[in-house]
Amino acid sequence: MASPALWALLRGCRGRVLRPRGDPPGRGSAEVVATSERYAVRRLPFARLGDSDVAFFERVMPGRVVTGEEEVKPFNVDWLKSVRGCSQLVLKPQTTAEVSQVLRYCYERNLAVTPQGGNTGLVGGSVPVFDEIILSTALMNRVISFDKVSGILVCQAGCVLERLSEYLEEQGFIMPLDLGAKGSCHIGGNVATNAGGLRLLRYGSLRGTVLGLEVVLADGSAVDCLASLRKDNTGYDLKQLFIGSEGTLGVITAVSILCPQKPKAVNVAFLGCQSFAKVLETFTTCRAMLGEILSAYEFMDEKCMELVERHLKLSSPVTGSPFYVLIETSGSNSTHDEEKLNNFLEQATASGLVTDGTVATDDKKIKALWSLRERITEALTHEGYVYKYDISLPVGKLYDLVTDMRARLGQSAKSVVGYGHLGDGNLHLNITAESYSHSLLDAIEPFVYEWTARCSGSISAEHGLGFKKKQFIQYSKPSEAVALMQRFKAMLDPKGILNPYKTLPSAPESSTR
Amino acid sequence: MASPALWALLRGCRGRVLRPRGDPPGRGSAEVVATSERYAVRRLPFARLGDSDVAFFERVMPGRVVTGEEEVKPFNVDWLKSVRGCSQLVLKPQTTAEVSQVLRYCYERNLAVTPQGGNTGLVGGSVPVFDEIILSTALMNRVISFDKVSGILVCQAGCVLERLSEYLEEQGFIMPLDLGAKGSCHIGGNVATNAGGLRLLRYGSLRGTVLGLEVVLADGSAVDCLASLRKDNTGYDLKQLFIGSEGTLGVITAVSILCPQKPKAVNVAFLGCQSFAKVLETFTTCRAMLGEILSAYEFMDEKCMELVERHLKLSSPVTGSPFYVLIETSGSNSTHDEEKLNNFLEQATASGLVTDGTVATDDKKIKALWSLRERITEALTHEGYVYKYDISLPVGKLYDLVTDMRARLGQSAKSVVGYGHLGDGNLHLNITAESYSHSLLDAIEPFVYEWTARCSGSISAEHGLGFKKKQFIQYSKPSEAVALMQRFKAMLDPKGILNPYKTLPSAPESSTR
């Protein structure tokens, strides 16, 4: 267990609602259509919040119960401003015991609860659909321990990813995951959604790096599987069920995670390719030549580049190509790494795979190149309403979906763009329009899901299903698997109070469309 | 789906029961005391096998039903020859449909079933305790597909690990796991026991590399989660529950697994250290200096070396040290890798961390050095009865347990040795005696578990709990977690027919000791 000083180290955003760099522009949450209006979803028969409930919570956590309409508003709306609940209550526990007390009470009272981390999710999973109580992890932001020999970090669920990264970097380590929302997202939310991000290619998924979890179940009982061991084969690996369950099976209160050593040398190459075929061939070539030092292979199309330049005023040192690739190396010897990278670049240029490019080794230029890729999500929100798709596909077919969608939608969409983690087979397909429209949505869905299913892809590579995608699970999972998931849900949360209307499909009579 | 030619490729051990190199010497299975005699375990009220049952199975899989006492015998005894069941029937399905038919029938009839892969487990998990039907995956040995772009292999559960390794090496890839029993163990068994092994340090655990599973549940229903995608966040990750569940929740029939590219350069250094403190410091130094190319850091004490020299006639080029370390590097550039390794060795020698050593780059010498470490398990069996402990501990305390145990047991043990995957914090503590004795066991247990629990370690790092360790789960897992595991078991296998008496503790009245 850590000293009080260590525990206090990561505090600092108490009470503030941080957002990723650049809020979606100028559209207040008041304008967001309520989820219950836009989608034909029916409220389940949970109890309604009463004054005596609020009084109870005030006794449990005095001064950390938020009830004012204006104060609650930002917790009701997702970052994309695409869904809005009408919760009247946000609770901010500081300890696992408080989370237990809250859930035990809610379970008893049949009050529905939506756990919320940094509220940076993209599928409407982190905000209520109706009046669910919001259980925010914002004040659960203590580092519990960090062991420099093993690289194992144990912390509360509400630690902001970027704060953890900064804390670890001082000690010569890094977090095994990194993503655009790092300035706001909580590690508990990352784990609850099995976030992928920019380092998965190198350090693997959270299913391998998360070593332990502490979780509070729907009935308030806490399960402590917060082991700090690299290997532990004593019984079933319970924690895995909570990783990626989007708060529907339990509330993650603490995380134990294996952190890699900070690489001594990092290089970023930003390259232009004349076709997607060349993007693919560049990937195969660099994977072979860079081998163990390859830590990211990202791609974006020229339309993405236009958007970050237009809306965010970023400027790229590489221009005039239909596709761009960002390659990152991380290694322990800068001379070796540069030699490997140079050999690769020489070959890629000589063979015409790459027609333009730049390489960065200093931190500032590296950050600037990464911004071109990381801030696409943000740039897109400036276009109006964004229809977001996060698809796993065999890499060879990754861009065909973008081309097909562009042809299908024609002038009815403002932009159809493709970018993503090519090295992981993960495409982010985004379609923008001035505002939300049912007819455009009907032109996109289920076409996009059918296309994906034909390639045995996944309709959610890393974003999860949340509220917006849950009815489409059958495109990626057989019905026996979905039925089994429903049995797990019924076993762990028989009253269904935890993040209702999320992840698993609702019964046909309460369709979400 | 693969061509018939591909499907046939990995056949070749049909009907033969392969063993790891070197059977435990000269002790026929007839001499092994029946588990039900040695341990006071009570048979649960399952149905007894009748002639009509055998006739049914003969109709399902003609010619693949083994009933003769001599033929069944090797399937009843574990590799260590430490436990023995009295099954009268071995079934050898070739397809998932056959596994389904078998389990549906057994579920209906209340017949207990023990799934068995290569039968190389070390905790008595892979053989029956009483008369459970043995469901062998030996004939489910087809490669279903391999994709050279993504490195994703899909195969049936009964493929032998070494056959898969050979198949992949021809295509420039390797399996993400490697272990001493590779010549016999089945990939399905590896996944069912969440095997760790020699490459975990570099490629992570099966929880990250296994991308999909096909599983048949106790009632015979098949669940197809055999995705071949690096990322898929559509609902709960059901496959994780079966990884490491030792055949108690379902029978794994097929596996999808992510395979790394074959490294272009491999080096092995075998070093002598004068103390365990120096072994630890050598680890910290090499982790920093070898970084991303470090692929194994194994240690063994001088007693282990004595045993492999005496019993297996191996000879080590490095002698006269109380501790030995095996370091492997795997990388994409031999010049860079050798330079990194040489820099490390110079520093380790100059600072006195290492007093003797040898380096191998050619395959034959590398294999010879690995044998010194890999064949310790086999050498130990030549000593008589082996009490095996597979413990996760904070690395700094890893060898203290060996020293304490040696002091505690004095002359009552023949040998007390320590070796293992130091880089993963995993100690293999082994104690040998001429033959099994209750009193020696009582001197070791629960002392070893209490010692481990005091350090917040795991009483099974990679071997699992099986039959022999299941009653000790509470030393590594809190009672709420065990209770939750029992709920999962009851939900998925309400009659408890799948691998009974394993993994989870039995009720107090049917204690195993």
Side-chain angles (χ1 to χ4, degrees):
Chain A
M1 289 294 126
S3 65
L6 183 62
W7 281 17
L9 202 85
L10 291 208
R11 292 177 191 174
C13 51
R14 172 176 293 191
R16 281 185 293 143
V17 182
L18 292 177
R19 296 290 175 194
R21 280 169 283 195
D23 253 347
R27 294 176 293 132
S29 51
E31 298 166 32
V32 180
V33 178
T35 306
S36 55
E37 283 176 42
R38 177 168 291 167
Y39 299 85
V41 56
R42 193 181 304 170
R43 187 181 180 281
L44 293 170
F46 298 110
R48 303 218 178 242
L49 189 74
D51 289 344
S52 63
D53 301 318
V54 176
F56 171 82
F57 296 127
E58 264 295 349
R59 283 196 300 277
V60 172
M61 49 186 94
R64 289 178 281 120
V65 173
V66 183
T67 50
E69 195 183 330
E70 278 306 304
E71 287 80 0
V72 173
K73 198 186 271 181
F75 296 87
N76 265 320
V77 181
D78 70 325
W79 180 75
L80 286 170
K81 300 200 189 306
S82 64
V83 284
R84 179 164 67 83
C86 54
S87 178
Q88 301 161 293
L89 183 68
V90 179
L91 300 177
K92 294 185 174 178
Q94 285 178 323
T95 66
T96 303
E98 287 175 357
V99 174
S100 273
Q101 278 180 279
V102 167
L103 288 185
R104 195 174 304 121
Y105 182 86
C106 290
Y107 189 74
E108 189 79 18
R109 278 274 292 124
N110 197 31
L111 286 162
V113 175
T114 293
Q116 188 177 93
N119 193 12
T120 61
L122 299 172
V123 288
S126 59
V127 295
V129 173
F130 291 97
D131 57 341
E132 299 88 271
I133 293 170
I134 295 163
L135 187 62
S136 166
T137 52
L139 301 187
M140 300 185 76
N141 54 5
R142 293 175 304 157
V143 167
I144 296 168
S145 66
F146 178 66
D147 178 41
K148 283 184 85 159
V149 176
S150 62
I152 297 169
L153 171 76
V154 182
C155 66
Q156 282 192 303
C159 291
V160 171
L161 181 59
E162 196 164 52
R163 294 293 90 69
L164 291 175
S165 294
E166 289 161 359
Y167 169 72
L168 288 175
E169 287 213 17
E170 286 167 20
Q171 320 207 36
F173 287 80
I174 60 171
M175 287 297 283
L177 80 162
D178 185 25
L179 56 156
K182 57 179 160 261
S184 307
C185 63
H186 296 184
I187 187 68
N190 296 147
V191 174
T193 56
N194 190 29
L198 307 162
R199 289 178 183 158
L200 189 134
L201 182 68
R202 174 65 168 274
Y203 301 110
S205 88
L206 291 172
R207 300 207 172 274
T209 53
V210 171
L211 302 179
L213 289 182
E214 182 188 59
V215 177
V216 178
L217 302 181
D219 65 2
S221 58
V223 182
D224 177 2
C225 290
L226 205 52
S228 296
L229 300 165
R230 184 88 197 251
K231 291 160 84 172
D232 176 22
N233 274 355
T234 53
Y236 312 146
D237 192 3
L238 298 175
K239 69 172 183 288
Q240 295 289 347
L241 206 58
F242 301 98
I243 300 176
S245 69
E246 305 183 274
T248 62
L249 296 180
V251 176
I252 294 169
T253 49
V255 173
S256 165
I257 189 164
L258 183 67
C259 301
Q261 290 192 293
K262 186 180 173 182
K264 288 180 192 141
V266 175
N267 298 294
V268 167
F270 198 89
L271 311 171
C273 292
Q274 292 308 309
S275 68
F276 190 71
K278 303 223 169 189
V279 171
L280 289 174
E281 212 181 320
T282 304
F283 174 57
T284 318
T285 308
C286 95
R287 195 176 55 172
M289 296 185 73
L290 298 179
E292 64 280 359
I293 65 166
L294 180 64
S295 55
Y297 190 97
E298 300 286 317
F299 92 102
M300 56 197 279
D301 63 17
E302 61 185 336
K303 191 75 199 165
C304 292
M305 186 65 88
E306 271 176 54
L307 296 181
V308 292
E309 289 179 334
R310 186 189 317 150
H311 296 301
L312 308 178
K313 310 298 173 213
L314 300 184
S315 75
S316 169
V318 187
T319 55
S321 296
F323 292 95
Y324 300 92
V325 160
L326 186 152
I327 294 169
E328 187 190 74
T329 69
S330 306
S332 60
N333 183 311
S334 59
T335 314
H336 291 170
D337 293 4
E338 279 170 33
E339 198 179 311
K340 286 189 180 89
L341 185 59
N342 289 340
N343 288 345
F344 155 70
L345 290 172
E346 269 171 35
Q347 172 153 340
T349 313
S351 59
L353 293 179
V354 158
T355 44
D356 193 6
T358 183
V359 174
T361 49
D362 75 284
D363 209 44
K364 203 175 151 201
K365 198 176 164 200
I366 285 175
K367 282 212 168 83
L369 292 176
W370 264 117
S371 289
L372 295 168
R373 163 63 189 87
E374 280 192 89
R375 297 184 67 188
I376 298 171
T377 312
E378 182 190 337
L380 282 158
T381 62
H382 290 253
E383 290 266 289
Y385 190 88
V386 188
Y387 302 83
K388 299 190 86 70
Y389 300 93
D390 165 40
I391 310 282
S392 269
L393 287 170
V395 282
K397 293 176 179 161
L398 211 65
Y399 204 73
D400 292 350
L401 176 56
V402 183
T403 314
D404 285 5
M405 186 62 80
R406 209 172 264 152
R408 178 179 172 85
L409 299 182
Q411 296 304 310
S412 58
K414 203 165 161 184
S415 311
V416 177
V417 310
Y419 61 99
H421 317 291
L422 187 131
D424 312 321
N426 185 182
L427 168 73
H428 293 317
L429 165 68
N430 282 246
I431 297 149
T432 65
E434 284 302 334
S435 59
Y436 175 87
S437 102
H438 274 310
S439 66
L440 183 54
L441 188 61
D442 287 341
I444 302 169
E445 300 176 5
F447 174 81
V448 61
Y449 302 124
E450 287 167 355
W451 202 104
T452 303
R454 274 198 302 277
C455 299
S456 305
S458 168
I459 65 144
S460 178
E462 58 176 14
H463 292 170
L465 296 170
F467 173 75
K468 292 187 193 168
K469 312 282 182 186
K470 64 167 183 157
Q471 291 301 64
F472 305 107
I473 189 171
Q474 78 278 7
Y475 287 100
S476 292
K477 289 283 154 67
S479 56
E480 317 87 73
V482 177
L484 199 48
M485 292 179 201
Q486 275 157 333
R487 286 171 68 195
F488 284 123
K489 171 71 178 176
M491 187 185 103
L492 288 172
D493 181 16
K495 294 184 175 179
I497 64 162
L498 276 180
N499 218 7
Y501 324 103
K502 312 286 170 64
T503 308
L504 296 181
S506 36
E509 69 277 13
S510 60
S511 161
T512 61
R513 284 275 305 279
Chain B
M1 289 296 129
S3 66
L6 182 63
W7 280 18
L9 202 84
L10 291 209
R11 292 178 193 172
C13 51
R14 172 175 296 190
R16 282 184 293 143
V17 181
L18 293 177
R19 296 287 176 199
R21 278 169 283 195
D23 253 350
R27 293 176 294 132
S29 51
E31 298 166 33
V32 180
V33 179
T35 307
S36 55
E37 283 175 44
R38 177 168 290 167
Y39 298 84
V41 55
R42 193 181 304 170
R43 187 181 181 281
L44 293 170
F46 298 111
R48 301 214 180 246
L49 190 73
D51 289 345
S52 63
D53 301 319
V54 176
F56 172 83
F57 296 127
E58 265 296 348
R59 285 196 298 279
V60 172
M61 50 186 93
R64 290 178 279 119
V65 173
V66 183
T67 49
E69 194 183 332
E70 278 306 305
E71 288 78 2
V72 173
K73 198 186 270 181
F75 296 86
N76 265 320
V77 180
D78 70 327
W79 179 76
L80 286 170
K81 302 202 189 300
S82 64
V83 284
R84 178 164 67 83
C86 53
S87 179
Q88 302 162 291
L89 184 68
V90 179
L91 301 176
K92 294 184 174 178
Q94 285 178 323
T95 65
T96 303
E98 288 175 356
V99 175
S100 273
Q101 279 180 279
V102 168
L103 289 184
R104 195 176 302 119
Y105 182 86
C106 291
Y107 190 73
E108 190 79 18
R109 278 272 294 124
N110 199 30
L111 286 163
V113 176
T114 293
Q116 188 177 93
N119 193 13
T120 61
L122 300 173
V123 289
S126 59
V127 293
V129 173
F130 292 96
D131 57 342
E132 299 87 89
I133 294 170
I134 296 165
L135 187 64
S136 166
T137 53
L139 301 186
M140 300 185 75
N141 53 6
R142 293 176 303 156
V143 167
I144 297 168
S145 65
F146 178 66
D147 178 42
K148 283 183 83 156
V149 177
S150 63
I152 297 170
L153 171 77
V154 183
C155 66
Q156 281 192 302
C159 291
V160 172
L161 181 59
E162 196 164 51
R163 296 292 90 68
L164 291 174
S165 294
E166 288 161 2
Y167 169 72
L168 289 175
E169 286 213 15
E170 286 168 19
Q171 320 209 34
F173 287 81
I174 59 172
M175 288 295 284
L177 80 161
D178 186 25
L179 56 156
K182 58 177 160 265
S184 308
C185 63
H186 295 183
I187 186 68
N190 295 148
V191 174
T193 56
N194 189 29
L198 306 163
R199 289 179 182 158
L200 189 135
L201 182 69
R202 174 64 168 275
Y203 301 111
S205 88
L206 291 171
R207 301 208 171 272
T209 53
V210 171
L211 302 179
L213 290 181
E214 182 188 59
V215 177
V216 178
L217 302 182
D219 65 2
S221 59
V223 182
D224 177 1
C225 289
L226 204 52
S228 296
L229 300 165
R230 185 89 198 250
K231 291 159 84 171
D232 176 22
N233 274 354
T234 53
Y236 311 148
D237 192 2
L238 297 175
K239 70 172 183 288
Q240 295 289 348
L241 206 58
F242 301 98
I243 300 176
S245 70
E246 305 183 275
T248 62
L249 296 180
V251 177
I252 294 170
T253 50
V255 173
S256 165
I257 189 165
L258 182 67
C259 302
Q261 291 192 293
K262 187 181 173 182
K264 289 178 192 142
V266 175
N267 298 293
V268 167
F270 198 88
L271 310 171
C273 294
Q274 292 309 310
S275 68
F276 190 72
K278 302 223 167 181
V279 170
L280 289 174
E281 211 181 321
T282 304
F283 174 56
T284 318
T285 307
C286 96
R287 194 175 59 171
M289 295 184 75
L290 299 178
E292 63 281 0
I293 64 167
L294 180 64
S295 56
Y297 190 96
E298 300 286 317
F299 92 102
M300 58 197 278
D301 62 18
E302 60 185 337
K303 191 75 199 163
C304 293
M305 186 64 89
E306 270 177 54
L307 296 180
V308 293
E309 288 179 334
R310 185 188 319 151
H311 296 300
L312 308 177
K313 311 297 174 212
L314 301 184
S315 74
S316 169
V318 187
T319 54
S321 295
F323 293 95
Y324 300 92
V325 160
L326 187 153
I327 295 169
E328 187 192 74
T329 69
S330 306
S332 59
N333 184 311
S334 59
T335 314
H336 291 170
D337 293 4
E338 279 170 33
E339 198 178 311
K340 286 190 182 89
L341 185 59
N342 289 339
N343 287 344
F344 155 69
L345 289 172
E346 269 171 35
Q347 173 153 338
T349 313
S351 59
L353 293 179
V354 159
T355 44
D356 193 6
T358 184
V359 175
T361 50
D362 76 283
D363 209 42
K364 204 176 149 201
K365 197 175 164 199
I366 285 176
K367 281 211 169 82
L369 290 176
W370 263 117
S371 290
L372 295 168
R373 163 64 189 84
E374 281 192 87
R375 296 184 68 188
I376 298 170
T377 311
E378 183 190 337
L380 281 159
T381 64
H382 289 252
E383 291 266 289
Y385 190 89
V386 189
Y387 303 83
K388 299 189 86 70
Y389 300 92
D390 165 40
I391 310 281
S392 269
L393 287 171
V395 282
K397 292 178 181 161
L398 212 62
Y399 203 72
D400 292 348
L401 176 55
V402 184
T403 313
D404 284 5
M405 186 63 82
R406 208 171 266 153
R408 178 179 172 84
L409 300 183
Q411 297 303 312
S412 57
K414 203 165 160 185
S415 311
V416 177
V417 310
Y419 61 99
H421 317 292
L422 187 133
D424 311 323
N426 185 182
L427 168 74
H428 293 317
L429 165 68
N430 282 246
I431 297 148
T432 65
E434 284 302 333
S435 59
Y436 174 86
S437 102
H438 275 310
S439 67
L440 182 54
L441 188 59
D442 288 340
I444 301 169
E445 301 178 4
F447 174 80
V448 60
Y449 301 124
E450 287 167 354
W451 201 104
T452 303
R454 274 197 302 277
C455 299
S456 306
S458 168
I459 65 144
S460 178
E462 58 177 14
H463 292 170
L465 296 171
F467 173 74
K468 292 190 197 166
K469 312 283 182 185
K470 63 166 184 159
Q471 292 299 65
F472 306 107
I473 189 172
Q474 77 278 6
Y475 287 100
S476 292
K477 288 284 155 66
S479 57
E480 317 87 73
V482 176
L484 199 48
M485 291 178 202
Q486 274 157 333
R487 287 170 68 193
F488 283 116
K489 171 72 177 175
M491 188 185 103
L492 287 171
D493 180 16
K495 294 183 175 180
I497 64 162
L498 277 179
N499 218 6
Y501 324 103
K502 312 285 171 63
T503 309
L504 296 183
S506 36
E509 69 276 13
S510 59
S511 160
T512 61
R513 284 277 301 280

